[in-house]
Amino acid sequence: YTPTPKLEFQADLLSLTYFETDYMLTPRLQVRWGRIWIPFDDMSPHSMFGGRINTSEFFQGNETNFLPDIWADLGMGLKYSLADSLNFQSELHFYVVNGFHSGGTSPVQGEGTAVPYPNFVGTTGAIGDNNNQKAIGARWHSVFGRRFGLGVSGYRDTYTDSAYNNTDGKKALGIMILGIDGQLRPTNTTEIRAGYVTMKVDLDADVSNKESFSRGGTYVELGQRFG
């Protein structure tokens, strides 16, 4: 819903997994707040790195989420237009959000041993944050000649709760995510999209015998319009 050219409301009204308000402070600077989409790819608010949109509905066996179907989180963000011309557009995102919680099952978890690990099903939502350390992220994306797009993204978060972080001898455990994505439009009706992401998840070495676990994801998509 766009009541004025400067103000816009967006939401998933059925589940409220995503809702945000966007306001243009200046012709180049936009501020976003609410449960905002995480700008980690050209697809918003969906994430493609875990497969086709909403594929958790079709998980088989012990498959788990790589990232949430709709990656959105409570917080604030800024989007700044670096350039906006006919043949070149470039924008920069920066955001601060609550981040992920622990509660997931670690892939290196021993039998009967609880290893702190983030829950990638979704973010904090209405249950509140679990620590005082916010997740921060940034993204740069540009489109060249209306045919080629390139984006680079980064995200850093602490997922363990305050009680764990304040335990003597323990250090806060976090997540570092880096990604790159590209879009190629060789014609007005054909689009090729691809993305790569790498993730480092800190682990409690005392109970897992590993200091971190690496995760990675890719996607390639060909789109063709007819008619």
Side-chain angles (χ1 to χ4, degrees), residues 72-92:
D73 201 356
L74 289 170
M76 294 188 65
L78 297 173
K79 182 175 75 171
Y80 185 75
S81 176
L82 300 171
D84 188 9
S85 65
L86 183 62
N87 292 313
F88 180 64
Q89 299 88 42
S90 183
E91 62 186 29
L92 182 65

Side-chain angles (χ1 to χ4, degrees), residues 98-100 133-136 155-159 173-176:
N98 281 344
F100 291 98
Q133 296 166 285
K134 302 300 180 183
I136 60 173
Y155 178 92
R156 184 73 175 95
D157 178 33
T158 297
Y159 70 86
L173 303 180
I175 309 167
M176 173 66 77

Side-chain angles (χ1 to χ4, degrees), residues 87-89 140 142-150:
N87 292 313
F88 180 64
Q89 299 88 42
W140 167 83
S142 293
V143 179
F144 305 87
R146 295 181 290 176
R147 296 295 187 186
F148 176 67
L150 180 66

Side-chain angles (χ1 to χ4, degrees), residues 108 117 174 200-205 208-214:
V108 296
Y117 195 75
K200 178 185 176 184
V201 181
D202 295 336
L203 299 177
D204 188 332
S208 68
N209 297 321
K210 287 177 65 96
E211 292 186 351
S212 64
F213 182 78
S214 297

